[in-house]
Amino acid sequence: MTESAAHGPRWPSKPEYAEAVQDPATAFADPGLARGVLDLNRLGMPRTSSGRNAVVFRLLGDRGPCAVRCMTREPVAGARRYDSLSRYVETRPCAALTPATWLERGILVGGAWWPVVLMPWVPGDTLDLALARHLDEPRALRHLAANWRVVLRQLAQAGLGHGDLQHGNVLVDDELRLQLVDLDGVWVPDGQEWPRADAGHPDYRHPREAADLQGVRLDAFPASVIFLSALAVAADPGLWELHTQENLIFREADFAHPGRTPLWERLGASPDPRVATMSRRLSADCARAPGQSGDPEQLVTEAGPSPT
């Protein structure tokens, strides 16, 4: 249990955090953050990005632009997870993961201190926005898919699992380079006794996902979903009509009925033979126990030559 969990089960809400950060000098215990300048929108309100369990504020501080991640619910083994990750990457660095530091005495909200995760600010769009921006550029989308392979290779070489791969946790810069954020569910080899942080986003999750799944294979299924989605949209931009703010092109129902929804039919008829091949394999994976289909880098490598 973190120091902050003792204050009760309800963590601050996103509006409560937004109110607190407007005065960095009193909101933050860290001197560099306390001297920082908050990024505001044209209405004078804090500019934010939000996920399912956190809200992120951009602050210009002593370290340069940084992201202050404030959790709206207690992350599982949060302090231990981030501490273990920081120590682990000292000897086995992973360029795909954005450096992150857990600050236990992070932000003052409602008279109590709550932890934050501090990260350098990563410029770029989330993966779904990047795909939409290049929808009429199939070559760019195939290049993005190839760069996704690079990310998976970096994770595999470091022996790490991200634990929650989905479009909102993948940032894409102007050069189509990819960076992973939101490390609340990261798997570190020396943390095998920890309970899993999150089962993952339902539109990226194996239909038979096991709560005790660990290791780099945590990422195998969602990594394949992302790779296949990018290649499929490059070959058939009309698939983007299936996109919502919650997914790329796949939905939870597609995984629950492998091979039997309209999406599977369209993927099977894709003009890119790799898309048809990968869709058949992903459909078959839905019927297997999660974690039995190999590691994520192996899965996308088996799709054939790197897309260009």
Side-chain angles (χ1 to χ4, degrees), residues 14-308:
K14 294 174 184 179
E16 287 171 330
Y17 281 124
E19 181 179 355
V21 300
Q22 295 191 51
D23 183 4
T26 59
F28 299 111
D30 179 87
L33 295 180
R35 291 191 293 268
V37 178
L38 190 65
D39 186 18
L40 304 176
N41 61 25
R42 58 187 180 84
L43 299 177
M45 298 299 294
R47 197 183 304 276
T48 66
S49 60
S50 296
R52 287 177 295 160
N53 305 315
V55 58
V56 178
F57 301 94
R58 185 177 186 269
L59 199 74
L60 184 61
D62 293 352
R63 305 171 179 86
C66 61
V68 182
R69 190 168 187 272
C70 303
M71 283 75 70
T72 54
R73 73 175 186 181
E74 182 180 8
V76 177
R80 287 182 293 157
R81 193 180 303 272
Y82 279 96
D83 180 63
S84 292
L85 176 63
S86 295
R87 288 186 283 105
Y88 184 83
V89 297
E90 288 178 0
T91 55
R92 296 193 68 179
C94 181
L97 296 183
T98 304
T101 302
W102 177 277
L103 300 179
E104 181 65 32
R105 191 175 170 87
I107 184 170
L108 185 64
V109 182
W113 286 101
W114 299 88
V116 301
V117 174
L118 182 63
M119 311 176 84
W121 185 262
V122 179
D125 293 326
T126 53
L127 178 61
D128 58 326
L129 295 178
L131 288 173
R133 184 155 53 94
H134 296 286
L135 203 57
D136 59 349
E137 303 174 69
R139 186 180 181 89
L141 295 181
R142 290 193 293 269
H143 183 59
L144 191 152
N147 285 348
W148 182 240
R149 278 181 156 169
V150 174
V151 166
L152 299 179
R153 187 175 305 117
Q154 291 170 342
L155 284 171
Q157 289 173 346
L160 295 167
H162 180 273
D164 189 17
L165 293 181
Q166 47 107 337
H167 63 270
N169 294 338
V170 183
L171 297 181
V172 184
D173 69 13
D174 290 340
E175 302 300 320
L176 301 182
R177 292 171 298 203
L178 306 167
Q179 194 77 20
L180 301 178
V181 295
D182 184 354
L183 309 184
D184 286 357
V186 73
W187 182 85
V188 183
D190 64 358
Q192 296 186 36
E193 77 283 2
W194 302 338
R196 185 167 178 188
D198 195 320
H201 193 295
D203 292 333
Y204 293 83
R205 186 171 62 216
H206 192 284
R208 299 167 59 197
E209 189 68 273
D212 59 350
L213 186 64
Q214 293 183 328
V216 295
R217 292 187 179 183
L218 273 171
D219 297 334
F221 191 81
S224 294
V225 169
I226 290 172
F227 184 73
L228 175 55
S229 297
L231 282 186
V233 171
D236 180 7
L239 286 169
W240 200 244
E241 67 190 15
L242 302 173
H243 167 69
T244 72
Q245 290 186 341
E246 293 297 318
N247 75 330
L248 292 178
I249 58 174
F250 283 95
R251 298 301 302 266
E252 183 180 9
D254 296 308
F255 305 140
H257 303 92
R260 302 196 303 275
T261 66
L263 174 59
W264 293 110
E265 183 177 349
R266 288 184 66 172
L267 295 177
S270 174
D272 185 340
R274 291 167 303 180
V275 171
T277 298
M278 278 203 73
S279 68
R280 288 192 294 270
R281 193 195 67 208
L282 189 66
S283 176
D285 282 350
C286 290
R288 297 191 184 100
Q292 292 187 351
S293 53
D295 66 75
E297 187 200 2
Q298 174 190 349
L299 292 177
V300 298
T301 300
E302 288 172 354
S306 181
T308 57

